[in-house]
Amino acid sequence: MENLIEGLISEMNRVRDVIKEYEHPALKGAGMLAATLMKIDIQNAEIAISQGDTIRMMVCYSKLKEIEC
């Protein structure tokens, strides 16, 4: 369980860095939309962790892992 949580937190932090790139003013609307969707993914991961929902954590981990710069 700790390994999943650690991996999920690591992915959440990585995606937070990606969000900063997407929020760059040059990307305008499309970047902001993508950043908002990524923030929702992070929020879902936080909820999964707080509820101890292992299945949801695995889904969130997979979803965050797919996000690229």
Side-chain angles (χ1 to χ4, degrees):
M1 183 84 156
E2 285 184 7
N3 289 335
L4 175 57
I5 292 173
E6 289 172 5
L8 187 52
I9 290 171
S10 175
E11 282 303 307
M12 291 164 60
N13 290 332
R14 183 187 67 80
V15 172
R16 284 184 181 106
D17 290 337
V18 174
I19 288 171
K20 291 175 189 172
E21 294 179 32
Y22 276 80
E23 288 179 331
H24 191 278
L27 294 178
K28 299 185 183 181
M32 294 306 281
L33 175 61
T36 299
L37 294 173
M38 286 183 245
K39 288 176 184 179
I40 291 169
D41 290 338
I42 289 173
Q43 288 173 346
N44 287 332
E46 290 170 342
I47 291 168
I49 290 170
S50 70
Q51 294 177 346
D53 187 339
T54 305
I55 301 299
R56 190 169 176 185
M57 282 188 255
M58 291 169 53
V59 170
C60 291
Y61 177 81
S62 295
K63 193 163 187 181
L64 290 172
K65 197 79 169 153
E66 293 174 1
I67 295 173
E68 298 178 8
C69 301

